[in-house]
Amino acid sequence: MSPSPPRGTQRQVRASVYLLHGEKISPAPRTVTPPATAAGALRALLAGPSRYERGQRRTTAIPSGTALRSIVVRRHVATVDLSGRYDDGGGSLSMRARLAQVVFTATRFPAIEKVRFEVDGKPVTSFGGEGIVLNGPVGRADFEELAPLVLVESPLIGDTVRTPVRVWGSANTFEATFRLKITDAAGHTAADVYATATSGTGTRGTFDVTIPYRATRSGAGLLTAYWNSLEDGHPVTEDTVPVTVMR
């Protein structure tokens, strides 16, 4: 039998919420309390980015004041019921972005593969004034255009990393290859390596690599995912994750 936590304390687990960086989704860390971890993550998403995250240009398309009414998971589909504020205002990009934020946050949990939306208890088949069709559960693949070609899902913004650092996520790049660069607090390139996803060139695959690095100074650093242009070889940045890099 596992020991009970001290009275007055609750065990916390790490989760991710998906904000926006530019016009692409970008995960950020949160802590939630079991067993309602998916509900906790969605409530944290609806609360919006922190001051630090806003300073790193992370935003949200979800209207302030949107509330989670309920979430029910059956057969790997989460039915997410949100308050009426959720579909207020915004054009098609904003509407698709706020749908993607919920879908990516919910499907970070292995038990959830797709999301069915409700607003104020009523099933959504056409979302917002733009009439986005939702005639069934939707998953991450339905919002591929809102994911960067290289989506880093760990480490997350604000994390502290030490060598070697494990980096994982998904990618949809030419021939599934790209590069990962770690820059330390002195602006020194501590590592710059090739990585390969399980698929690419139109099909998103996953990657999971461990990168040794050599930092010259501990402090605020950056993990950059990029690829080199086939035309002239210049680097094309796909994702940047501000982290604390330790020597």
Side-chain angles (χ1 to χ4, degrees):
M1 181 179 294
S2 301
S4 299
R7 188 171 296 180
T9 65
Q10 291 180 298
R11 182 170 64 92
Q12 300 281 292
V13 299
R14 183 174 166 94
S16 296
V17 299
Y18 285 74
L19 304 172
L20 299 173
H21 186 200
E23 297 179 349
K24 303 293 185 180
I25 56 96
S26 178
R30 293 293 186 274
T31 55
V32 297
T33 303
T37 48
L42 287 175
R43 289 192 180 96
L45 170 67
L46 300 181
S50 67
R51 179 180 297 180
Y52 168 75
E53 290 158 355
R54 290 194 299 270
Q56 298 295 334
R57 296 182 294 175
R58 266 59 176 181
T59 62
T60 182
I62 299 173
S64 176
T66 301
L68 176 68
R69 289 167 47 91
S70 66
I71 174 173
V72 178
V73 181
R74 290 195 181 96
R75 296 181 180 178
H76 301 292
V77 175
T79 299
V80 177
D81 184 8
L82 298 159
S83 65
R85 281 282 292 157
Y86 185 60
D87 66 356
D88 284 355
S92 59
L93 178 59
S94 174
M95 289 296 182
R96 286 190 61 79
R98 71 187 66 172
L99 291 170
Q101 287 184 256
V102 170
V103 168
F104 274 76
T105 298
T107 56
R108 175 79 177 219
F109 296 94
I112 301 173
E113 296 175 359
K114 292 190 174 185
V115 173
R116 179 182 288 111
F117 284 90
E118 294 183 352
V119 172
D120 285 338
K122 297 179 181 179
V124 176
T125 56
S126 179
F127 185 65
E130 301 296 320
I132 297 171
V133 176
L134 295 175
N135 52 12
V138 288
R140 292 189 173 196
D142 294 290
F143 301 94
E144 175 64 24
E145 82 281 6
L146 290 168
L149 293 184
V150 183
L151 173 61
V152 176
E153 300 204 69
S154 181
L156 298 171
I157 178 174
D159 279 354
T160 296
V161 301
R162 292 175 173 80
T163 188
V165 58
R166 180 188 177 200
V167 182
W168 61 269
S170 65
N172 183 4
T173 58
F174 179 70
E175 294 186 343
T177 60
F178 55 95
R179 296 185 73 98
L180 294 167
K181 180 171 70 173
I182 298 170
T183 308
D184 68 14
H188 168 74
T189 298
D192 191 348
V193 300
Y194 278 104
T196 305
T198 54
S199 59
T201 316
T203 303
R204 184 166 292 268
T206 59
F207 67 89
D208 190 338
V209 298
T210 299
I211 304 172
Y213 67 81
R214 180 172 293 182
T216 59
R217 184 189 304 171
S218 296
L222 192 69
L223 170 64
T224 302
Y226 72 99
W227 49 276
N228 294 115
S229 167
L230 294 176
E231 293 181 0
D232 57 16
H234 80 274
V236 179
T237 299
E238 283 297 332
D239 203 3
T240 55
V241 184
V243 291
T244 298
V245 177
M246 303 301 293
R247 290 185 62 186

